[in-house]
């Protein structure tokens, strides 16, 4: 029941907000609702740890002739991602208060609608329901970017939408094909889809279709070209939602759907997938060095990080998978922090061109500190969340192939290069006329970062609870495919 | 009844096909919208005739009942079609389909 | 014991947090207490630890809590307190405290006073984490932590672009080494199933010398050490790091951080002893670096740069010692080096302070009389580093030289050549700064003053340590008892201990030299160094040479050395520039023109097709009807015949 509440609650709030009138009330209501949602998720965590996951399962028939049922549930991995979602949305909403978006009713309605769709994706245990929520998440994201975004947003958002949608269509075809192969009577139920009997050739095609859809979403090189433009043009809340949570849908899909459904094809094509992901890592990191647009640089850094996570998932190594889950959560938090800072700079200095910035540390020391902390977490300094994930991922990849780990390890060097250089060019040095005007973070503005910083250090120093929550399911998954 | 059944069905078939083809040719060639509508009516009526003939030939009243349905629908369709033509004439003062080609790219 | 460890770590960390959060509100007077105060507490606690060592046995690993646990992977937050870490504790907190004290005077009036001490405390905390770590990952926390702090402190005066670049360079070069360290750790885990020191070293007992996994592990870990301790080829960050305030150079680059690499190799001696190949690599890298850096130091004109290259060179000696099996010797030299190098840096800071910021030794001279305390302490440091008995540097350097002779006389000759160069360039520095006539401006001459007490007292303390520090480990031939060697003996179980008669077949010294040979070697070295000191006197004091303005013509050899063998330029051309152009090229060439073109091409193809096809919608009703009828006929025909 709780699981369904997690989905229906934001939907209801979203509808209410869409028709709201009083701007102030809308903002507060949206924030309160998102915090409540987080409380629900935390309650689900408690239930999960105290009793068994079956308590979180909800099932009811929907389109019976096709075997589609509304089946929602949470295991450790979904729970962590749902927690990430419900944790980040209040932070994003809180941050958006300072930005004064026009038509706040629609805006917050869209954000909560996205949250609902995301939770739906992470908790769906029925193939068609998964697909429906997958597509649903795309729609509000499109509107958020198109209505509140920066220059040239229509064309770029359109490209993002069509590109992602095309990938998902392949996934739909694969799902339908799988349905035909499930034991009679056909069903889209998760357990049935896993039990579908596929010939090796069929497995390869189904794998390819799923992989394409997820690879576009994540994104994995070379399907990434929609991403830098979209992240740069989206409003801060939009890029935080997209980079912080939505791309995790793709990674989650790989773990939840590709691994159990097409394990043989996955193992067979793993070297290619890992090579592709690591190529993207190096490629994106190198490009990030010369980027002049702050948000594009962060976007490329995101491609690099998720490339490492993807590579880790494909090793099918226990440590790498745990690292992948932790890194998903860490990356969500860190990238949200980075985009928050970038949004602040863009708003106060009026530009996000790094060549036009400089000396901000002098004018805005609080911002400089916060920025440095998030940056260090992003480049995986030990005792931050980024390090735990990266260490486990590289360890797992190393066990699979030391050569791949050496290439993956280049992110250690390259991320330091582009991040520190970016920080230096924006924060150090002398101020110029553009940056002279910038005021520092107010205490309230600083307070928005506190939850993120807390999580950075919590996951970095005491990751035990997170590792445990995911660990059981990862072991189950691995034993399932052996 | 017997007088009708002495005419072989093939005669009806050929006759109605001819009528139908005249109607089709009229639809394709004529430029006047009203004449095209009339040709469409011609096609419909040829089918009506054929249906009635077959219903007698097969001794099944269903055909003739179906003719009534078709007549009703044809009447409705003609009413709507003629109303559209009248409105078009009012705005553009022409019912030549070569002139009425504004619904394009 | 766990409580003491936590307290030792906690005080500097608390100092960092307090000073960091209140950096705008706390008055400098209070910071002057908090900053050095926390380090003093940690030092006193370290002394307590030392005392307890003489009463109890070695204490086992102290376990704080589980950090990362996934099935067989168990990495707790654990600490190891043994003689080696105890020694490092004392050096780090002791010298660190003295430097903090000095900084109170040096950084007085700087707007970033509080921020400075916050960073310094964080640095001490990271370094303590490094030396107290009970497994490689906890050590790595400190490893990267000190890298971060050196970045923050080198670029402390962040308004200057050059300084920020130097800080960035340091961090990135460190990270290159860190990648090697990480890969080494992964291989460690795959081989031994754990990263804890006790498990790994116990497991190492069961392996054969020359085991390929161990060779790979030790080489990879050494890559990390090369980055952290500025050995060739990852050495270029250290001279540039002189951009930071001088106390920072003293602490990070002389006394503590760069010695992390030495500590790590010493800690992993069980692994390195299993791999003669790695030992050779370590030793040779160290020796080559020592010579390389010493040769460059001869031609440097910036007082801090001379000391920086000197540091690289001395670190090279430490690694040469490690490679030759002189683990105790290397740690001994690490300790004495901490004393005299910190002393030299702080003395240089005193000189710079007196001259109002001047760092070029061509503009100094004759400062003996005006800065007496600085002069005497600096002299002590110079004598120590040159290896003149009875100062500490003589004993520590000699131990390393002895081990090198045992490995191969050729190595000894090279090392002595380096020692000669060391004596030469250090005394060159001394003569040019403190002797002859003053070459600065009138204004500077009138303002020459000795530094305040808070700066000279640390100098005196360090000078005393540099002078008498040798008693830590006086070898047998001087009737000493090799106290340090005995103290560290449990940490280096496979090494033959000086002064003992245990002949271990796996010992690193195949044929210990006789006393006569030892005396001969020592005398030869000493004579050579004294000769160099005299030659330097002749050239720089008597003949008054050695001052060349920038841009003056130099013979090629001199130019090669003064431009640091053009290594920086080499890296710039071969690595940095190509990387930047690659970045631009990948973006403009591949991303925009190739991949994106493909994607947008699909879109354009669809729109183009649509554009072409839309002309079918000619609006011609007659045409529509014709096509409709044709289609129906086609369908009928197909139905009948197919």
């Amino acid at each position: 029941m709780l699981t369904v509440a997690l989905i229906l609650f934001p939907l209801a709030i979203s509808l209410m907000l869409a028709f709201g009138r009083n701007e102030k009330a809308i903002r507060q209501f949206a924030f309160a609702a998102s915090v409540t949602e987080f409380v629900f998720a935390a309650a689900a965590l408690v239930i999960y740890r105290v009793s068994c996951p079956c308590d979180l399962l909800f099932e009811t028939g929907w389109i019976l002739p096709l075997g589609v049922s509304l089946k929602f549930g949470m295991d450790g991995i979904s729970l962590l991602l749902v927690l990430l979602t419900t944790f980040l949305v209040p932070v994003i909403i809180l941050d958006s208060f300072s930005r004064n978006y026009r038509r706040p009713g629609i805006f917050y309605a869209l954000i909560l609608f996205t949250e609902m769709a995301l939770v739906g994706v992470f908790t769906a245990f029925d193939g068609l329901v998964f697909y429906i929520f997958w597509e649903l998440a795309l729609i509000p994201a499109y509107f958020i970017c198109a209505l509140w975004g920066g220059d040239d947003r229509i064309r770029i958002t359109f490209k993002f939408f069509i590109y992602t949608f095309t990938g998902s269509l392949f996934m739909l075809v694969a799902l339908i094909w799988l349905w035909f192969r499930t034991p009679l009577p056909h069903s889209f139920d998760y357990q049935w889809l896993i039990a579908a009997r596929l010939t090796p050739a069929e497995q390869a095609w189904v794998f390819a279709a799923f992989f394409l859809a997820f690879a576009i979403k994540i994104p994995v090189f070379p399907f990434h070209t929609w991403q830098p433009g979209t992240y740069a043009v989206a409003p801060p809340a939009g890029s935080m939602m997209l980079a912080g949570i939505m791309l995790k849908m793709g990674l989650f899909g790989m773990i939840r759907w590709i691994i159990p459904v097409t394990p043989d094809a996955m193992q067979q094509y793993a070297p290619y997938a890992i090579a592709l992901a690591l190529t993207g890592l190096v490629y994106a990191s190198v490009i990030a060095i010369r980027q002049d647009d702050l948000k594009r640089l962060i976007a490329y850094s995101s491609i690099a990080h998720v490339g490492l996570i993807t590579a880790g998932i494909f090793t099918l190594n226990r440590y790498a998978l745990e690292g992948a889950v932790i890194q998903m959560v860490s990356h969500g938090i860190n990238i949200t922090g980075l985009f928050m800072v970038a949004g602040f700079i863009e708003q106060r200095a009026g530009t996000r061109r790094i060549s036009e910035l400089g000396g901000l540390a002098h004018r805005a020391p609080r911002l400089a500190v916060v920025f440095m902390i998030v940056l260090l977490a992003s480049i995986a300094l030990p005792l931050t969340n980024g390090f735990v994930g990266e260490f486990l991922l590289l360890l797992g990849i190393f066990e699979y192939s030391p050569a791949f780990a050496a290439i993956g390890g280049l992110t250690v060097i390259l991320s330091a290069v582009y991040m520190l250089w970016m920080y230096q060019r924006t924060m150090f040095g002398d101020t110029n006329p553009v940056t002279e005007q910038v005021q520092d973070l107010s205490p309230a503005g600083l307070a928005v970062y506190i939850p993120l910083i807390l999580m950075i250090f919590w996951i970095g120093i005491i990751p035990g609870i997170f590792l445990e929550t995911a660990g059981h399911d990862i072991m189950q998954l691995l034993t399932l495919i052996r | 009844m017997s007088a009708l059944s002495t005419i072989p069905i093939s005669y009806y078939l050929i006759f109605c096909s001819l009528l139908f083809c005249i109607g089709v040719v009229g639809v394709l060639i004529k430029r006047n919208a009203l004449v095209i509508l009339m040709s469409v009516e011609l096609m419909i009526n040829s089918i009506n005739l054929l249906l009635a003939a077959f219903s007698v030939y097969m001794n099944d009243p269903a055909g003739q009942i179906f003719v009534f349905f078709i007549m009703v629908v044809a009447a409705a369709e003609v009413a709507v079609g003629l109303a559209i033509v009248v409105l078009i004439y009012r705005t553009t003062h022409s019912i030549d389909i070569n002139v009425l080609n504004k619904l394009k790219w | 014991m766990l409580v003491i460890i936590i307290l030792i770590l906690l005080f500097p960390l608390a100092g960092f947090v307090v000073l960091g959060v209140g950096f705008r509100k706390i008055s400098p007077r209070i910071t002057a207490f908090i900053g050095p105060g926390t380090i003093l507490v940690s030092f006193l606690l370290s002394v307590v630890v030392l005392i307890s060592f003489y009463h109890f046995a070695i204490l086992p690993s102290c376990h704080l809590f589980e950090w990362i646990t996934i099935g067989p992977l168990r990495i707790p937050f654990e600490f190891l307190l043994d003689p080696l870490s105890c020694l490092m504790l004392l050096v780090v907190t002791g010298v660190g405290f003295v430097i903090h004290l000095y900084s109170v005077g040096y950084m007085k009036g700087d707007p970033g006073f509080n921020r400075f001490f916050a960073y310094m405390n964080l640095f001490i905390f990271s370094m303590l984490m490094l030396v107290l770590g009970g497994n490689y990952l906890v050590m790595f926390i400190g490893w990267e932590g000190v890298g971060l702090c050196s970045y923050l402190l080198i670029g402390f005066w962040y308004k200057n672009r050059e300084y920020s670049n130097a800080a960035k360079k340091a961090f990135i070069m460190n990270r290159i080494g860190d990648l090697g360290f990480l890969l080494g750790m992964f291989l460690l885990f795959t081989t031994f199933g754990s990263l804890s020191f006790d498990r790994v070293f116990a497991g190492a007992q069961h392996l054969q010398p020359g085991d390929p996994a161990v060779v790979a592990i030790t080489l990879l870990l050494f890559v990390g050490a090369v980055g952290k301790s500025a050995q060739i080829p990852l050495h270029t960050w250290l001279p540039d790091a002189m951009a930071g305030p001088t106390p920072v150079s003293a602490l990070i680059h002389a006394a503590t951080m760069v010695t992390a690499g030495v500590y790590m190799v010493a800690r992993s001696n069980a692994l390195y002893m299993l791999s003669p190949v790695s030992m050779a690599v370590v030793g040779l890298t160290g020796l080559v670096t020592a010579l390389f850096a010493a040769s460059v130091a001869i031609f440097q004109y910036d007082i801090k740069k001379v000391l920086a290259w000197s540091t690289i060179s001395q670190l090279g000696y430490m690694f040469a010692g490690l490679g030759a099996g002189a683990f105790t010797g290397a740690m001994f030299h690490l300790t004495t080096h901490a004393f005299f190098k910190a002393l030299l840096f702080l003395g240089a800071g005193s000189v710079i302070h007196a001259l109002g910021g001047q760092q070029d030794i061509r503009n100094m001279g004759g400062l003996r009389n005006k800065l007496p305390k600085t002069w005497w302490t600096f002299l002590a440091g110079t004598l120590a580093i040159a290896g003149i008995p009875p100062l500490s540097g003589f004993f520590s350097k000699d131990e390393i030289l002895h081990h090198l002779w045992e490995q191969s006389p050729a190595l000894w000759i090279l090392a002595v050549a380096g020692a000669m160069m060391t004596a030469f360039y250090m005394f060159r520095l001394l003569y040019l700064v403190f002797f002859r006539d003053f070459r600065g401006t009138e204004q500077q001459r009138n303002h020459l003053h000795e530094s305040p007490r808070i700066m000279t007292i640390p100098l005196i303390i360090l000078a005393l340590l540099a002078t008498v520090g040798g008693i830590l480990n006086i070898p047998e031939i001087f009737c000493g008892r090799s106290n340090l060697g005995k103290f560290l003996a449990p940490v280096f179980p496979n090494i033959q201990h000086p002064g003992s008669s245990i002949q271990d077949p796996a010992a690193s010294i195949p044929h210990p030299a006789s006393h006569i040979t030892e005396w001969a070697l020592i005398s030869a070295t000493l004579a050579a160094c004294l000769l160099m000191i005299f030659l330097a006197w002749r050239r720089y004091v008597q003949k008054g040479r050695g001052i060349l303005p920038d841009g003056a013509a130099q013979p090629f050899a001199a130019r090669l050395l003064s431009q640091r063998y053009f290594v920086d330029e080499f890296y710039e051309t071969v690595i940095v520039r190509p990387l930047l152009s690659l970045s631009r090229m990948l973006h403009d060439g591949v991303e925009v023109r190739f991949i994106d073109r493909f994607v947008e091409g699909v879109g354009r193809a669809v729109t183009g097709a649509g554009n072409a096809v839309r002309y079918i919608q000619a609006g011609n009703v007659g045409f529509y009807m014709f096509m409709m009828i044709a289609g129906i006929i086609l369908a009928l025909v197909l139905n009948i015949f197919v």
Side-chain angles (χ1 to χ4, degrees), chain B residues 24 27-28 36 97-98 100-101 103-105, chain C residues 614-615 617-620 622 624-626 629:
Chain B
V24 169
V27 162
L28 288 178
I36 292 177
I97 60 168
N98 282 344
L100 301 170
N101 59 358
L103 274 179
K104 63 178 182 178
W105 76 86
Chain C
R614 71 178 174 152
Y615 288 113
Q617 295 287 355
N620 191 339
Y624 292 167
M625 288 190 281
F626 176 69
I629 292 169

Side-chain angles (χ1 to χ4, degrees), chain A residues 194-350:
Chain A
I194 297 179
R197 257 163 277 125
L198 297 167
T199 67
E202 283 177 346
Q203 261 208 29
W205 285 110
V206 169
F207 167 76
F210 270 111
F211 181 73
L212 186 66
F214 298 141
I216 294 178
K217 194 68 173 179
I218 290 172
V220 178
F221 176 91
F223 305 109
H224 64 281
T225 48
W226 62 267
Q227 192 240 42
T230 312
Y231 285 9
V233 117
S239 41
M240 287 191 261
M241 292 288 289
L242 277 171
I245 320 170
M246 270 185 80
L247 72 87
K248 312 297 182 294
M249 292 199 317
L251 290 167
F252 172 78
M254 285 197 174
I255 298 181
R256 169 74 92 232
W257 294 91
I258 293 190
I259 296 184
V261 173
T262 58
D264 304 311
M266 187 175 187
Q267 281 171 324
Q268 190 185 356
Y269 293 107
Y272 304 106
I274 297 178
L276 213 55
L278 291 178
T279 309
L281 188 154
V282 177
Y283 175 82
S285 301
V286 171
I287 289 187
I289 299 177
R290 277 301 272 277
Q291 277 303 308
D292 195 37
D293 182 328
L294 187 59
K295 285 167 84 172
R296 281 183 84 103
L297 190 149
I298 300 176
Y300 278 108
S301 87
S302 177
I303 297 179
H305 284 122
V306 297
L308 188 65
I309 304 180
T310 312
I313 294 178
F314 272 91
T315 59
L316 288 177
N317 174 299
R318 175 186 193 168
Y319 305 120
L321 280 169
E322 285 257 20
V325 176
I326 293 283
Q327 193 70 331
M328 277 197 248
V329 176
S330 310
H331 176 263
I333 296 172
N334 297 342
I335 208 92
T336 303
L338 283 172
F339 274 118
M340 221 181 262
V341 170
F344 179 85
I345 293 177
E346 187 177 13
Q347 193 182 16
R348 299 293 174 100

Side-chain angles (χ1 to χ4, degrees), chain A residues 396-467:
Chain A
I397 298 178
F398 187 87
E399 282 196 351
Y400 181 86
S401 153
F404 277 142
I407 299 177
L410 285 176
T411 184
V412 166
I413 304 171
L414 290 172
S415 63
V417 173
Y418 61 74
M419 277 296 182
L420 287 181
W421 200 29
M422 178 262 286
Y423 190 84
Q424 186 180 320
R425 286 182 291 164
T426 53
M427 294 282 150
F428 293 153
D430 278 311
T431 54
N432 55 43
V434 168
T435 57
E436 263 306 311
Q437 332 287 353
V438 174
Q439 283 176 320
D440 197 6
L441 274 174
S442 63
L446 187 62
V448 180
Y449 290 92
I450 303 282
L452 292 177
I453 295 179
L454 240 110
M455 288 310 291
I456 288 179
F457 288 114
W458 182 3
I459 301 180
I461 303 178
I462 317 177
I465 181 170
F466 303 97
L467 289 172

